[in-house]
């Protein structure tokens, strides 16, 4: 059994004077949301033996804030392919994960993460899948269970969605605006 946890980067600042999208930092609401998600993951006693992430600034900062709340370092392998990746590319990344890793955190961007959940989790699944399909907000976490012994076997409709945690579920002040 493998567990894949997908974390979308927290809310970034569109008003910052950066020249590239890649360089956009988190805004204050994003920082709060990421720290709260980290605290919540710690309260659930969720652990990861491998972390892979987009090297975009907003992802790097999200992981830093999550780690602050989590109380442990989340040392990531930075993979440029994850930056604004499609679900097809993300599935390639998943299939290449180290065989020894059983609980992986993948941190990236939408719409790729949402599409990956929808690709891996069968349509027949419950309200959690419906919530992902409605919207995968910034700083949200989806935890998928895969009944496989090798990441290379990950494929469509082969996962179960165990959790979908949005920042607004933990603190209504972190609810929607225009993510």
């Amino acid at each position: 059994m493998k567990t894949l946890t997908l974390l979308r980067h927290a809310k970034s600042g569109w008003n910052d004077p950066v020249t590239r999208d890649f360089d956009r930092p988190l805004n204050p609401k994003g920082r709060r949301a990421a720290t709260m998600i980290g605290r919540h993951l710690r309260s659930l006693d969720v652990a990861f033996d491998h972390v892979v992430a987009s090297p975009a600034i907003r992802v790097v900062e999200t992981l830093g804030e999550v780690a602050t709340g989590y109380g442990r370092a989340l040392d990531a392998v930075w993979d440029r392919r994850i930056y604004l990746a499609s679900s097809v590319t993300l599935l390639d990344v998943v299939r290449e994960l180290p065989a020894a890793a059983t609980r992986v955190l993948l941190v990236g961007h939408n719409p790729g993460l949402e599409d990956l959940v929808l690709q891996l989790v069968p349509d027949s699944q419950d309200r959690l899948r419906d919530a992902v399909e409605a919207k995968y907000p910034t700083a949200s976490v989806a935890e998928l269970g895969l009944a496989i012994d090798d990441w290379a076997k990950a494929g469509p409709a082969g996962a179960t969605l165990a959790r979908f945690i949005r920042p607004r579920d933990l603190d209504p002040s972190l609810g929607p605006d225009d993510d």
Side-chain angles (χ1 to χ4, degrees), residues 29-87:
K29 183 177 180 179
R31 290 184 183 286
R32 282 193 337 269
T35 302
M36 179 162 288
I37 288 292
R39 279 195 298 264
H40 189 67
L41 291 173
R42 180 181 64 210
S43 77
L44 295 172
D45 202 26
V46 173
F48 307 104
D49 54 22
H50 188 75
V51 179
V52 61
S54 161
I57 298 301
R58 59 193 178 271
V59 173
V60 173
E61 290 182 353
T62 296
L63 264 177
E65 294 295 332
V66 168
T68 297
Y70 190 61
R72 291 180 236 162
L74 294 168
D75 298 321
V77 173
W78 306 105
D79 190 331
R80 180 107 182 164
R81 294 177 300 167
I82 298 171
Y83 175 65
L84 302 180
S86 69
S87 62

Side-chain angles (χ1 to χ4, degrees), residues 45-143:
D45 202 26
V46 173
F48 307 104
D49 54 22
H50 188 75
V51 179
V52 61
S54 161
I57 298 301
R58 59 193 178 271
V59 173
V60 173
E61 290 182 353
T62 296
L63 264 177
E65 294 295 332
V66 168
T68 297
Y70 190 61
R72 291 180 236 162
L74 294 168
D75 298 321
V77 173
W78 306 105
D79 190 331
R80 180 107 182 164
R81 294 177 300 167
I82 298 171
Y83 175 65
L84 302 180
S86 69
S87 62
V88 172
T89 300
L90 291 174
L91 185 54
D92 287 344
V93 170
V94 168
R95 287 177 174 157
E96 294 169 14
L97 289 169
T102 57
R103 297 189 60 83
V104 172
L105 175 64
L106 188 151
V107 191
H109 311 265
N110 245 9
L113 290 177
E114 178 179 328
D115 292 343
L116 182 61
V117 172
L118 299 178
Q119 181 179 1
L120 292 176
V121 178
D123 282 340
S124 61
Q125 203 169 16
D126 60 21
R127 63 176 178 73
L128 285 181
R129 188 183 188 284
D130 294 343
V132 169
E133 191 167 18
K135 185 168 189 178
Y136 197 125
T138 52
S140 293
V141 174
E143 183 182 280

Side-chain angles (χ1 to χ4, degrees), residues 10-26:
K11 191 151 201 56
S12 58
W14 286 95
N15 297 330
D16 288 291
V18 295
T19 56
R20 301 182 315 160
D21 173 74
F22 187 88
D23 298 323
R24 277 191 297 116
L26 296 183

